[in-house]
């Protein structure tokens, strides 16, 4: 289908694990769509056999490829994919095309078939080129948005994340809280799974799911009652589960509804009340004209285009008035030329292309743009509110400390850290005597704490077939799981809560094998069964099949409660154990006792007195002050009979506090530089984290979010912040830089507080509960790796690497785009102003019949607008960020790109450009040839018009040269063209942007075509060859360059009220100041070097500069501390 196909390509199936034997199973049914209505009445085994899949491994890689070819993608038809027809119609429904159609009609009407034919060709060429450019740009942005669309956790071994489009009937899929269900699934196993099905059923209460099979007599029960199924596009609100895909694309319940809606659209007018015909028609017209879709800037530019169209009509009236309303063919043609001159035909196209290139560049920097509005808002961001874990830090968590809550002084242990945080090998040593713990003779007091970290945990750690350690789950749980595995007590050793029955495990698939492709490695089947990975998997292989613990119930982690609970049956003692982990203060609140001597008397407990709680909290503070994330561990034993129907409140009380686990997560190496760069750019960085306040403060100081002398109001807990009224928050000197134990509601209050202060905040988040804050924030940023599908859908941007430095890159790119948009707006509109000046003032040039002789023909105006002005404008859109881009404060988002300096620049440059071009015409016609304007030279090609033709050619060449050189001048608004970068020859800067350079050079070469090609010059452009006039062209072009240099000097005092100064010595109320002068420029150079991958500063120079800065900062801090104390 080519351009008219909405089917994406390039689907990635390579990540599916290729097992030792590549197998496929013959499905018992050929039409997979037939099983959708039966799936709730079939057992898991029956469904697996019907679909030819495995309960344990899902589809093989080869079978997945085959099914993708035969069954197609998991895609709803008739969605919001890019429509080629809409893009095509959009090319015709704009002010430019309306004017051109009118010009073409008038040209044919007055009998000028050459001009009419050329305008028709221009319309066709403009439509085709605009269509392909915009369609490619829209497809590019659409594909980038799909990168952040919901993903599916497909379950061959090991697990991996796959795009929803590649999901196939028979795939085994894992879902968890916050996920959007990617397809219709028959559940195989569940753990407290609840699904919000309001989209399908209208029921606002989440539905608890199970795996029970319904009888054949319940085939037609409502879809809301089929509790063993979950449906595409519904949202997991609680728990987790695994299911076999039974319906994809249009074969899902949501697909069936979509098909029904699509079929009813034609009759929908009869079924419901609709707005009046006039309003519907008006809305359709506005949509077609681009006034109802697109970003605010695109809509604003569309409105500008139609406003200019009204001005064009006004200019036509002026032309008619000068002709005393004696409307002849010549007057009509002159009016057409003036109308064409005022409209920037390529403005919207250049904007679309620039944004498309910007989104692709940001995608390479790990930032996916979901909403184009974000590109316009990024440059104005004043505050960045960031998560800590995995964003400011590496997210490679490792348990470094374990402290048993006891009366003994030798109860603290340190784990050996590995370069690979997932490697479960390493010693655990006692801090008191540095003796390592023996895995085979682990004291019960330690073992019971380790078992909590392993079993109150849903993460998995395993080796893949390449021998690489891989994990799934939350980084904190992964770290606890690795720690448990180091002591031989990993989850796989203690329990088996897999969905696959034991007797089926180890089989390549279910049913008869119809294809078997052994690898050419000389390994026999007998040897294959004996293959084991070294390390932990060998230990797991020695463990008996009967595991000690069976999972009965799970209460997932709650961001409000800050804890998670699981309940297992301990077969060894014949009772149930409640295991809980979470924020230590929350675990302490739920505990009533502890173990005084865990290594000698692990079963003996003592009451948890206030004195003991204080002792534990002090240890907690000590670990947190080291920058460790601290997790509390506790348990209790209950009768098995109490498990059934137990409430969460009942399970999470009366606990025995066991231990504290300290998890290290060092800051990313690039975070410190990114935070400094943000400060230099006038951006305040806030850290909103769920960690303890001491941990948060330690990390914040390490990355210089706060200084060592920061006042109390700079660091708060969410509880303290939420207790403040809005008025009290507004009275704070600044918003808190660090909020610990942050809840989703706190983020929302932070955004409201920022808006009341006139701040433009970006907010990052990853959980389901973060979605309100992400939607409310001017720029919402979701985490691509750890984020939930709901959070991604609510966000404007998605970070594919969850890295804070990517936010800094995104802000820098946003600033670059903002300035570049201003550049090409000034360029295009100044050209229009120049053309209007030439044509309106040219009305005074009248021949013997008192007919105005235009200095530029309508075709020449089209040539200038379409072929000369547009390419350099696009080149300006690709300009790199200025060296001081991240040294300036954020721009005011209220002003947008159409600020007063932009408007004034358009007239300042445009009027002079037009006046100089017109002066050339005057010199040629009146200075050399005594004003010989000929007769009927707007429409005639006779010899009497040679003087006018020479004047037009000289004017045409002059304005084109000015336009092209003007693009070079706009590389910087203030700095001279001949000193764009200090200490570097200016021609290097001119060549650096190759697209702009070749656009200028190509435009200069092409100017000779309409002047010298016989027939083309006289019959189409009404121009003629020139000779000595080239001296005028070059001379007046130089004069225009001189004016540009003079204006850059004049504009500085003129724009003083709008001047944006560098961020120098901007003191904060938190004990920090920003360096000035050379230090600032050095920091900027360092930042730019990081972006370009270049590091050309010597270490010794940096150290000397740093010493100077530290001395100055130290002096300033003393003064600021005194100032704070005085207040």
């Amino acid at each position: 289908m080519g351009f008219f196909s909405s089917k994406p390509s390039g689907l990635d199936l390579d990540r599916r694990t290729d097992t030792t034997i590549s197998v496929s199973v013959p499905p018992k049914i050929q039409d997979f769509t037939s099983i959708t209505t039966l799936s709730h009445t079939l057992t898991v085994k029956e469904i697996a056999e019907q679909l030819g899949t495995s309960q344990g491994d899902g589809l093989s890689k080869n079978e997945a490829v085959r099914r993708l070819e035969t069954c197609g993608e998991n895609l709803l038809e008739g969605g919001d994919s890019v429509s080629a027809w809409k893009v095509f119609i959009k090319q015709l429904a704009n002010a430019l095309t309306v004017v051109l159609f009118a010009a073409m009609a008038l040209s044919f009407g007055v009998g000028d078939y050459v001009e009419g034919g050329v305008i028709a060709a221009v319309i066709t060429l403009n439509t085709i080129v605009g269509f392909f450019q915009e369609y490619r740009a829209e497809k590019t942005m659409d594909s980038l948005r799909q990168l952040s669309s919901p993903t599916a956790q497909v379950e061959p071994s090991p697990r991996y994340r796959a795009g929803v489009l590649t999901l196939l009937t028979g795939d085994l899929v894992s879902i968890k809280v916050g996920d959007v269900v990617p397809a219709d699934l028959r559940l195989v196993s569940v753990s407290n799974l609840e699904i919000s099905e309001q989209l399908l059923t209208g029921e606002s209460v989440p539905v608890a799911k199970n795996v029970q099979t319904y009888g054949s007599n319940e085939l037609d029960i409502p879809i809301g009652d089929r509790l063993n199924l979950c449906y595409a596009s519904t949202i997991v609100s609680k728990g987790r589960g695994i299911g076999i895909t039974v319906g994809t694309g249009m074969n899902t319940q949501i697909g069936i509804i979509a098909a029904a809606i699509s079929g009813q659209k034609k009759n929908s007018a009869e079924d419901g009340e609709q707005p009046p015909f006039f309003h519907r028609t008006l809305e359709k017209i506005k949509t077609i004209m681009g006034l109802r879709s697109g970003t605010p800037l695109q809509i604003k530019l569309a409105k500008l285009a139609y406003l200019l169209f009204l001005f064009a009509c006004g200019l036509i009236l002026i032309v008619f008035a000068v002709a005393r309303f004696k409307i002849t063919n010549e007057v009509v043609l002159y009016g057409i030329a003036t109308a064409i001159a005022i409209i920037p035909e390529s403005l919207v196209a250049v904007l679309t292309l620039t944004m498309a290139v910007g989104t692709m560049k940001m995608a390479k920097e790990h930032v996916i743009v979901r909403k184009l509005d974000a590109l316009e808002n990024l440059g104005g961001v004043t505050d960045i509110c960031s998560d800590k874990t995995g964003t400011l830090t590496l997210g490679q968590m490792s348990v470094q400390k374990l402290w048993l809550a006891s009366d003994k002084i030798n109860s603290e242990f340190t784990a050996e850290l590995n370069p690979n945080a997932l490697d479960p090998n390493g010693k655990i040593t006692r801090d008191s005597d540095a003796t390592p713990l023996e895995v085979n003779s682990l004291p019960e007091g330690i073992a019971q704490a380790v078992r909590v970290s392993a079993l109150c945990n849903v993460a998995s750690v395993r080796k893949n077939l390449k021998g690489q350690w891989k994990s799934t789950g939350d980084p904190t749980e992964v770290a606890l799981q690795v720690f448990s595995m180091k002591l031989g007590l990993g989850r796989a050793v203690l329990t088996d809560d897999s969905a696959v029955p034991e007797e089926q495990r180890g089989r390549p698939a279910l049913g008869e094998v119809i294809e078997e492709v052994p690898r050419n490695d000389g390994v026999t089947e007998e040897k294959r069964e004996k293959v084991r990975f070294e390390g932990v998997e060998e230990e797991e292989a020695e463990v008996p099949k009967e595991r000690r613990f069976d999972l009965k119930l799970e209460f997932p982690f709650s961001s409000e409660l800050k804890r998670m609970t699981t309940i297992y049956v301990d077969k060894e003692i014949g009772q149930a154990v409640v295991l809980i982990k979470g924020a230590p203060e929350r675990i302490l609140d739920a505990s009533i006792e502890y173990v005084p001597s865990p290594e000698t008397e692990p079963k003996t407990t003592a009451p948890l007195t206030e004195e003991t709680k204080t002792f534990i909290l002090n240890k907690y503070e000590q670990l947190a002050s080291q920058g460790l994330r601290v997790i509390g561990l506790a348990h209790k034993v209950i009768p098995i009979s109490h498990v059934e129907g137990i409430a969460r409140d009942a399970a999470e009380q009366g606990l025995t506090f066991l231990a504290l686990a300290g998890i290290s997560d060092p800051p990313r190496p690039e975070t410190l530089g990114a935070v400094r760069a943000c400060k230099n750019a006038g951006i305040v960085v806030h850290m909103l984290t769920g960690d303890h306040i001491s941990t948060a403060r330690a990390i914040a100081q390490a990355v210089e979010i706060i200084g060592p002398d920061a006042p109390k109001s700079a660091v708060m807990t969410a509880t303290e912040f939420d207790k403040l009224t809005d008025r009290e928050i507004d009275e704070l000197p600044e918003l808190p830089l660090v909020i610990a134990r942050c809840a989703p509601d706190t983020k929302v209050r932070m955004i409201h507080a920022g808006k009341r202060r006139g701040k433009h905040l970006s907010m990052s988040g990853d959980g389901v509960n973060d979605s309100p804050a992400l939607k409310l924030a001017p720029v919402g940023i979701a985490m691509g790796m750890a984020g939930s599908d709901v959070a991604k859908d609510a966000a404007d941007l998605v970070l594919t690497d969850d890295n804070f430095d990517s936010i800094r890159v995104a802000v820098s790119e946003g600033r670059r785009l903002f300035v570049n948009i201003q550049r090409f707006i000034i360029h295009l509109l100044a050209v229009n102003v120049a053309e209007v000046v030439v044509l309106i003032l040219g009305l005074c040039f009248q021949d013997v019949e008192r007919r105005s002789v235009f200095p530029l023909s309508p075709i020449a105006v089209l040539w200038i607008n379409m072929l000369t002005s547009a390419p350099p404008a696009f080149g300006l859109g690709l300009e790199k960020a200025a060296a001081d881009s991240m040294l300036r404060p954020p721009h005011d988002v209220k002003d947008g790109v159409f600020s007063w300096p932009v408007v004034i620049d358009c007239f300042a440059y445009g009027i002079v450009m037009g006046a100089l071009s017109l002066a050339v015409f005057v010199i040629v016609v009146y200075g050399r040839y005594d004003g010989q304007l000929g007769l009927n030279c707007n429409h005639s090609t006779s010899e009497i018009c040679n003087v006018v033709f020479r004047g037009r050619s000289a004017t045409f060449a002059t304005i084109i040269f000015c336009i092209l050189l003007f693009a070079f001048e706009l590389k910087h608004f203030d700095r001279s063209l001949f000193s764009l970068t200090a200490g570097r020859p200016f021609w290097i800067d001119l060549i650096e942007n190759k697209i702009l350079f070749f656009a200028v050079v190509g435009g200069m070469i092409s100017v000779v075509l309409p002047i010298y090609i016989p027939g083309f010059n006289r019959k189409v452009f009404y121009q003629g060859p020139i000779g000595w006039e080239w001296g005028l062209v070059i001379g007046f072009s130089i004069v225009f360059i001189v004016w540009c240099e003079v204006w850059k000097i004049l504009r500085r005092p003129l724009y003083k009220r709008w001047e944006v100064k560098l961020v120098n010595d901007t003191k904060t109320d938190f004990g920090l100041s920003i360096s000035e002068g050379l230090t600032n420029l050095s920091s900027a150079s360092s930042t730019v070097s990081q972006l370009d991958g270049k590091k050309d500063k010597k270490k010794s120079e940096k150290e000397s500069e740093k010493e100077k800065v530290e001395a100055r900062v130290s002096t300033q801090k003393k003064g600021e501390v005194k100032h704070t104390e005085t207040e």
Side-chain angles (χ1 to χ4, degrees):
M1 293 291 291
F3 275 95
F4 295 89
S5 173
S6 63
K7 181 178 178 180
S9 60
L11 297 175
D12 183 11
L13 285 173
D14 292 337
R15 291 180 295 175
R16 290 184 183 267
T17 302
D18 196 2
T19 52
T20 307
I21 301 176
S22 179
V23 298
S24 60
V25 182
K28 292 188 175 180
I29 57 173
Q30 298 302 318
D31 181 13
F32 294 145
T33 62
S34 63
I35 201 171
T36 306
T37 55
L38 306 172
S39 54
H40 62 290
T41 64
L42 301 176
T43 65
V44 174
K45 181 177 180 180
E46 288 172 338
I47 285 182
E49 290 176 347
Q50 292 284 329
L51 296 178
T53 187
S54 165
Q55 296 179 50
D57 297 321
L59 298 175
S60 68
K61 179 179 177 180
N62 291 347
E63 179 62 18
V65 172
R66 281 192 289 268
R67 290 196 183 184
L68 184 62
E69 292 175 352
T70 57
C71 301
E73 301 165 4
N74 181 26
L75 183 68
L76 291 180
E77 298 174 1
D80 294 330
S81 59
V82 180
S83 168
W85 293 112
K86 289 182 180 179
V87 174
F88 181 75
I89 293 173
K90 189 177 178 182
Q91 301 306 309
L92 301 176
N94 58 65
L96 159 71
T97 311
V98 172
V99 172
L100 290 182
F101 270 120
M104 180 184 68
L106 289 172
S107 297
F108 283 127
V110 299
D112 193 340
Y113 299 108
V114 173
E115 186 168 294
V118 171
I119 295 177
V122 168
I123 293 174
T124 304
L125 180 64
N126 186 50
T127 302
I128 293 175
V129 172
F131 166 75
F132 279 100
Q133 286 179 336
E134 187 164 346
Y135 186 79
R136 287 176 60 187
E138 293 287 346
K139 290 292 286 184
T140 298
M141 289 185 282
D142 189 54
S143 64
L144 290 175
R145 282 190 289 265
Q146 288 181 11
L147 291 178
S148 62
S149 63
T151 52
Q153 184 89 14
V154 184
E155 291 275 338
S157 180
R159 302 172 184 177
Y160 75 97
R161 299 289 285 184
V164 170
L165 291 178
T166 64
L167 203 61
L168 302 161
T169 304
D171 265 330
L172 200 63
V173 178
S174 173
I175 54 177
K176 66 180 186 308
V177 61
D179 284 350
V180 176
V181 180
D184 285 3
L185 306 178
R186 168 61 163 93
L187 293 169
V188 172
S189 71
V190 297
S191 178
N192 288 339
L193 182 64
E194 292 186 6
I195 306 286
S196 175
E197 297 180 345
Q198 187 173 8
L199 178 71
L200 284 176
T201 64
E203 178 59 50
S204 59
V205 179
V207 179
K209 297 293 182 177
N210 57 47
V211 296
Q212 297 175 1
T213 304
Y214 291 85
S216 57
N217 60 331
E218 298 177 290
L219 181 64
D220 297 325
I221 61 174
I223 60 173
D225 295 337
R226 303 174 187 181
L227 301 182
N228 57 6
L229 300 180
C230 53
Y231 305 104
S233 299
T234 57
I235 298 172
V236 182
S237 58
K238 181 180 178 182
R240 54 195 171 91
I242 297 176
I244 296 176
T245 305
V246 295
T248 62
M250 296 301 289
N251 194 40
T252 59
Q253 289 296 329
I254 195 70
I256 294 170
I257 294 174
I261 292 175
S262 177
Q264 293 173 359
K265 279 184 179 178
K266 295 180 181 179
N267 300 323
S268 60
E270 302 175 4
D271 298 334
E273 186 177 340
Q274 290 193 346
F277 174 78
F278 171 77
H279 292 291
R280 297 201 311 270
T281 304
L282 184 63
E283 285 300 313
K284 287 182 179 179
I285 292 174
K286 287 182 177 180
T287 302
I288 293 173
M289 294 174 66
L291 301 178
R292 280 290 181 265
S293 61
T295 71
L297 179 57
Q298 288 174 326
I299 294 174
K300 190 180 292 184
L301 291 179
K303 290 179 179 179
L304 173 65
Y306 292 109
L307 178 64
L308 293 177
F309 174 70
L310 295 179
F311 285 161
C313 296
L315 291 176
I316 291 175
L317 289 177
I318 293 175
V319 173
F320 289 173
V322 172
R324 301 176 183 84
F325 290 95
K326 295 179 181 179
I327 313 301
T328 63
N329 294 349
E330 286 75 13
V331 174
V332 171
L333 290 175
Y334 204 107
I336 292 171
T338 309
I340 293 173
I342 198 174
I343 298 178
E345 293 86 349
S346 55
L347 182 56
V348 175
V350 171
L351 175 66
T352 302
L353 285 173
T354 301
M355 285 189 164
V357 173
T359 55
M360 287 189 289
K361 184 175 181 180
M362 291 176 73
K364 293 178 182 178
E365 298 290 347
H366 311 291
V367 181
I368 304 301
V369 179
R370 286 185 55 84
K371 300 171 185 175
L372 283 179
D373 303 36
L375 289 178
E376 302 168 26
N377 291 328
L378 273 171
V381 166
T382 60
D383 295 67
I384 297 175
C385 301
S386 173
D387 286 337
K388 177 187 79 70
T389 303
T391 306
L392 292 167
T393 61
L394 287 169
Q396 297 177 1
M397 295 189 174
S398 299
V399 175
Q400 187 174 340
K401 291 286 187 179
L402 178 69
W403 178 77
L404 299 182
S406 70
D407 297 337
K408 308 296 181 183
I409 61 173
N410 61 344
S411 59
E412 188 169 342
F413 306 88
T414 300
E416 180 183 1
L417 301 181
N418 295 317
N420 180 6
L422 298 180
D423 186 358
N425 295 300
K427 296 179 181 179
I428 313 292
T429 57
R430 192 185 304 273
D431 286 3
S432 59
D433 55 11
T435 57
L437 293 177
E438 295 294 334
V439 175
N440 296 328
S441 57
L442 200 64
E444 176 61 21
I446 300 175
Q448 63 187 7
V450 175
R451 284 196 291 266
V452 176
S453 68
L455 294 175
C456 189
N457 194 321
V458 297
S460 66
V461 180
R462 66 178 81 184
K463 269 188 178 179
N464 64 10
L465 296 177
K466 295 180 181 179
Q468 301 168 332
W469 287 104
K470 298 294 181 181
S471 68
T472 59
D474 179 78
T476 302
E477 293 196 332
V478 170
L480 291 170
Q481 197 64 249
V482 170
F483 178 75
S484 303
M485 294 168 71
K486 287 180 179 179
L487 293 174
L489 292 175
R491 180 186 183 89
V493 175
L494 300 174
T495 185
D496 182 9
D497 57 347
S498 170
V500 185
E502 187 70 37
E503 62 272 11
Q504 294 177 0
R505 211 168 283 123
R507 295 174 57 185
L510 296 173
E512 175 189 359
V513 176
I514 61 172
E515 178 187 352
E516 184 169 308
V517 186
R519 299 181 185 275
N520 297 324
D521 54 6
V523 181
T524 65
E525 189 63 28
E526 181 179 356
K527 291 181 180 178
R528 289 186 203 279
E529 294 182 356
K530 296 181 180 180
V531 173
R532 295 288 186 272
F533 291 113
E534 61 181 355
V536 175
E537 292 200 8
E538 291 180 358
E539 296 172 11
E540 292 178 12
E542 297 171 0
V543 177
K545 291 183 179 180
E546 184 68 22
R547 304 296 199 265
R548 176 176 170 180
F549 296 92
D550 283 340
L551 177 64
K552 291 299 180 184
L553 196 59
E554 174 188 321
F555 297 108
F557 178 79
S558 165
S559 57
E560 287 79 20
L561 298 175
K562 302 291 184 186
R563 60 191 179 220
M564 171 189 176
T565 302
T566 55
I567 302 178
Y568 286 80
V569 169
D570 186 346
K571 300 173 186 176
E572 190 172 287
I573 63 175
Q575 289 184 294
V577 288
V578 179
L579 311 175
I580 183 171
K581 76 172 191 303
E585 64 271 22
R586 300 297 181 91
I587 305 300
L588 274 174
D589 290 342
S591 301
I592 60 173
E593 56 189 14
Y594 75 111
V595 182
S597 303
E599 296 190 56
T600 56
E601 300 177 73
K603 302 302 181 184
T604 303
T605 61
L608 197 59
T609 63
E610 289 300 320
E611 182 181 358
T612 307
K613 283 187 177 182
T614 302
F615 177 68
I616 294 174
L617 288 173
N618 288 338
K619 187 63 183 179
Y620 173 24
E621 291 279 352
Q622 178 187 338
L623 293 174
S625 63
Q626 301 173 26
L628 300 178
R629 165 174 279 193
V630 185
I631 303 296
L633 307 173
H635 77 169
K636 72 175 179 180
V637 179
I638 61 173
I640 297 177
S641 58
H642 291 183
V643 175
E644 187 68 29
I646 190 172
R648 181 164 193 161
D649 290 343
E652 296 177 348
Q653 63 180 2
L655 299 164
T656 300
F657 193 90
L658 297 177
L660 296 174
I663 302 174
S664 65
D665 183 18
R668 292 178 182 268
E670 61 271 25
T671 297
L672 178 58
V675 171
R676 287 175 175 173
C678 288
K679 289 181 179 179
N680 287 340
I683 299 171
V684 181
V685 180
H686 305 261
M687 184 173 78
L688 281 62
T689 177
D691 281 338
H692 184 265
I693 191 169
S694 298
T695 306
R697 181 183 284 109
I699 297 297
Q701 288 181 351
V703 298
E704 297 186 4
I705 290 178
I706 60 173
D709 301 326
K712 183 178 179 181
S713 60
V715 183
M716 290 185 179
T717 64
T719 303
E720 293 170 342
F721 184 76
D722 291 338
K723 284 181 179 178
L724 298 176
T725 64
D726 289 347
R727 182 176 180 180
E728 289 172 332
I729 293 175
D730 295 341
E731 289 175 350
L732 292 173
E734 291 287 346
L735 290 176
L737 294 180
V738 178
I739 297 183
R741 293 298 188 220
C742 185
D745 292 342
T746 309
K747 293 185 176 182
V748 173
R749 288 204 73 194
M750 187 74 167
I751 295 170
H752 284 302
K755 287 184 175 181
R756 291 196 299 273
R757 291 172 180 255
K759 293 180 177 291
H760 198 67
L761 282 80
S762 75
M763 178 66 70
S764 66
D766 53 14
V768 178
N769 293 335
D770 289 331
S771 57
L774 295 178
K775 280 188 176 181
L776 183 63
V779 179
I781 304 174
M783 302 296 110
M785 298 172 66
S788 65
D789 292 337
V790 175
K792 293 177 190 176
D793 188 58
D796 303 300
L797 305 175
V798 176
L799 306 184
T800 58
D801 61 351
D802 294 6
N803 190 341
F804 177 81
D805 191 53
S806 296
I807 301 178
R808 193 264 312 162
V809 171
V811 171
S812 176
E813 180 65 14
R815 292 189 174 192
R816 184 191 72 84
L817 283 172
F818 180 84
V819 173
N820 287 350
I821 289 171
Q822 286 188 324
R823 283 191 176 110
F824 66 68
I825 284 177
I826 292 175
H827 186 269
L828 292 173
L829 295 183
V831 170
N832 292 125
V833 171
E835 291 172 339
V836 170
V837 168
V838 169
L839 293 174
I840 292 299
L841 294 182
L843 288 170
C844 63
F845 304 135
Q846 297 183 345
D847 60 17
V848 294
E849 295 183 353
R850 301 185 63 83
R851 296 174 179 174
S852 295
V853 178
F854 45 64
L856 288 173
S857 68
I859 304 303
V861 173
L862 279 176
W863 179 284
I864 292 169
N865 287 355
M866 302 298 297
L867 299 181
T868 302
S869 183
F874 179 60
L876 286 171
L878 301 180
E879 271 292 297
K880 73 173 187 178
D884 59 356
S885 171
M886 289 295 283
L887 291 173
R888 297 177 178 272
H891 66 78
D892 190 345
V893 293
K894 295 179 181 177
D895 293 339
V897 294
F898 289 103
S899 60
W900 277 112
V902 169
V903 175
I904 296 172
D905 280 348
C906 288
F907 285 98
Y909 290 119
I911 291 173
V912 174
M913 186 190 300
L916 291 174
S917 302
L918 193 62
V920 171
F921 184 83
V922 172
I923 292 173
V924 173
V925 175
Y926 289 91
R928 178 69 181 271
Y929 297 106
D930 299 325
Q932 300 176 19
L933 293 176
L935 183 65
N936 194 25
C937 292
N938 291 344
H939 195 63
S940 173
T941 60
S942 63
E943 295 295 327
I944 198 174
C945 296
N946 283 348
V947 173
V948 174
F949 286 3
R950 293 178 73 95
R952 282 179 185 159
S953 293
T955 304
F956 178 75
T958 302
I959 196 170
I960 285 181
F961 272 51
C962 289
I963 289 169
L964 297 173
L965 294 175
F966 181 42
F968 280 149
E969 284 285 354
L970 288 176
K971 286 176 73 72
H972 202 289
F973 292 135
D974 298 315
R975 294 187 67 89
S976 168
L977 171 64
F978 306 100
S979 180
L980 293 171
T981 303
R984 186 163 70 170
F986 74 94
W987 59 82
I988 295 179
D989 291 306
L990 299 185
I991 299 174
E992 193 170 29
N993 185 342
K994 290 182 172 53
I995 291 180
L996 177 60
F997 178 77
F998 286 114
V1000 171
V1001 173
M1004 289 182 173
I1005 294 174
S1006 67
V1007 74
V1008 302
L1009 300 179
I1011 295 176
Y1012 291 106
I1013 295 179
F1016 186 59
N1017 54 3
R1018 298 183 70 87
K1019 294 181 179 180
V1020 176
F1021 284 82
Y1022 300 106
Q1023 298 176 168
I1026 56 176
W1028 64 271
E1029 291 89 348
W1030 282 109
L1032 291 175
V1033 172
I1034 295 172
F1036 277 79
S1037 298
I1038 293 173
V1039 172
F1040 179 72
I1041 293 297
V1042 172
W1043 163 248
C1044 292
E1045 296 295 317
V1046 171
W1047 178 249
K1048 286 183 178 181
I1049 297 173
L1050 296 177
R1051 73 193 299 273
R1052 293 172 188 169
L1054 182 63
Y1055 294 165
K1056 197 166 186 179
R1057 60 178 299 184
W1058 300 296
E1059 183 180 2
V1060 180
K1061 297 181 180 179
L1062 297 180
V1063 184
N1064 292 330
D1065 284 337
T1066 302
K1067 295 179 177 61
T1068 72
D1069 293 311
F1070 299 132
L1072 293 175
S1073 63
I1074 301 171
S1075 55
E1076 61 181 355
L1078 293 174
T1079 307
N1080 217 352
L1081 293 175
S1082 175
S1083 176
S1085 300
S1086 175
T1087 303
V1088 173
S1089 297
Q1090 289 176 1
L1091 288 171
D1092 296 336
K1094 302 174 182 178
K1095 295 182 179 178
D1096 52 0
K1097 293 289 183 183
K1098 296 181 180 179
K1099 185 176 180 180
S1100 60
E1101 293 177 349
K1102 287 185 177 179
E1103 290 176 348
S1104 63
E1105 289 291 345
K1106 184 177 179 182
E1107 291 172 358
K1108 295 177 184 178
V1109 175
E1110 287 176 347
R1112 182 162 57 252
V1113 169
S1114 176
T1115 304
Q1116 292 172 349
K1117 282 179 180 176
K1118 292 178 182 178
E1120 289 172 6
V1121 171
K1122 292 179 181 179
H1123 176 69
T1124 304
E1125 290 174 351
T1126 304
E1127 290 182 345

